[in-house]
């Protein structure tokens, strides 16, 4: 909904076409995409379940959190790029269930693991409002611009609350090559920090 998967695919293409941009010890990144969509389909959830039943919404977010953790653990032997994070289910639970109920997810070992992965990795928040927004009947679509802004603000506030550093990729940066360069510039900076 914010162009995350499009960006992940473009980054994968970049690394395939420009392997020299990686350190010589690195292989191609593993891609982790559409974890939530897979959970929705496997467990027969719809976007409507998120807004119509707090108990189903919380259970769905728990399932997504666990699936994200499994995907990241499976990829942990190499580097990877993911279009979601462990924070996503916490934010959705916070918005659609309530902050108090979200504490159940925060206590999970899966969140503890994912939180550490986020702290040691590169986190890019794609600002809401891109033209790629399509209602496919599966994803939850905010009703209006205010709802988009609330979602974005909640992501940033939650990252801040956990002390996780992040970079906001502005929605105004619509050119895909520019979006890729935004991510690569921050990735290179992270890699330089890791090697010095």
């Amino acid at each position: 909904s914010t162009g995350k998967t499009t960006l992940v695919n473009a980054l994968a293409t970049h690394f395939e076409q420009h392997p020299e941009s990686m350190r010589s010890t690195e292989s191609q990144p593993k891609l982790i995409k559409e974890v939530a969509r897979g959970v929705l389909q496997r467990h027969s959830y719809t976007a409507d379940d998120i807004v119509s039943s707090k108990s189903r919404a919380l259970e769905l977010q728990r399932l997504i959190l666990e699936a994200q953790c499994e995907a990241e653990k499976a990829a942990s032997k190499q580097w990877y790029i993911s279009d979601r994070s462990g924070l996503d289910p916490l934010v959705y639970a916070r918005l659609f269930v309530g902050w108090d109920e979200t504490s159940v997810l925060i206590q999970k070992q899966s969140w503890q693991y994912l939180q550490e992965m986020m702290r040691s990795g590169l986190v890019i928040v794609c600002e809401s409002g891109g033209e790629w927004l399509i209602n496919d009947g599966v994803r939850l679509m905010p009703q209006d611009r205010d709802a988009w802004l609330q979602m974005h603000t909640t992501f940033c506030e939650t990252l801040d609350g956990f002390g996780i550093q992040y970079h906001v990729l502005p929605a105004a940066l619509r050119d895909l090559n520019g979006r890729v360069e935004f991510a690569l510039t921050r990735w290179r900076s992270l890699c330089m920090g890791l090697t010095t």
Side-chain angles (χ1 to χ4, degrees):
S1 56
T2 58
K4 298 181 302 284
T5 302
T6 301
L7 178 59
V8 166
N9 290 336
L11 286 166
T13 298
H14 168 83
F15 288 118
E16 287 170 10
Q17 294 175 351
H18 303 283
E20 73 281 359
S21 65
M22 297 181 293
R23 293 181 291 204
S24 60
T25 57
E26 291 175 327
S27 60
Q28 291 293 319
K30 173 138 177 67
L31 303 182
I32 301 173
K33 301 187 299 185
E34 304 287 358
V35 168
R37 183 180 297 275
V39 170
L40 286 163
Q41 292 169 344
R42 271 193 310 281
H43 297 279
S44 302
Y45 277 89
T46 65
D48 188 52
D49 290 321
I50 297 170
V51 294
S52 64
S53 167
K54 286 188 174 193
S55 62
R56 278 191 55 83
L58 187 60
E59 177 61 12
L60 172 61
Q61 299 313 318
R62 184 194 65 76
L63 291 167
I64 293 170
L65 182 70
E66 299 297 333
Q68 184 71 32
C69 186
E70 288 173 21
E72 291 193 29
K73 282 183 176 179
S76 66
K77 300 249 187 284
Q78 67 185 86
W79 72 294
Y80 59 89
I81 304 171
S82 180
D83 65 359
R84 291 181 62 88
S85 72
L87 191 79
D88 294 47
L90 300 182
V91 169
Y92 279 93
R94 183 176 178 184
L95 288 170
F96 296 102
V97 180
W99 188 241
D100 290 341
E101 293 85 349
T102 304
S103 64
V104 172
L105 300 177
I106 292 169
Q107 302 305 315
K108 297 278 184 195
Q109 285 298 110
S110 50
W111 168 242
Q112 301 308 313
Y113 175 83
L114 292 167
Q115 183 178 188
E116 290 309 312
M117 297 305 290
M118 291 178 74
R119 281 199 174 101
S120 63
L122 173 63
V123 177
I124 295 176
V125 176
C126 296
E127 186 178 34
S128 302
E131 66 228 10
W132 41 81
L133 191 59
I134 298 169
N135 187 346
D136 58 9
V138 177
R139 75 178 80 223
L140 182 67
M141 300 291 291
Q143 298 298 317
D144 54 32
R145 180 160 171 70
D146 289 342
W148 274 117
L149 293 174
Q150 179 60 43
M151 176 115 17
H152 175 75
T153 299
T154 303
F155 262 94
C156 295
E157 288 173 353
T158 308
L159 284 164
D160 290 337
F162 285 109
I164 297 171
Q165 293 184 359
Y166 61 96
H167 305 271
V168 175
L169 196 162
L173 181 53
R174 295 179 184 267
D175 174 67
L176 186 56
N177 291 331
R179 293 172 72 83
V180 167
E181 190 54 40
F182 178 97
L184 289 174
T185 299
R186 280 131 191 98
W187 174 73
R188 289 181 196 112
S189 293
L190 178 67
C191 290
M192 293 298 291
L194 293 176
T195 58
T196 56

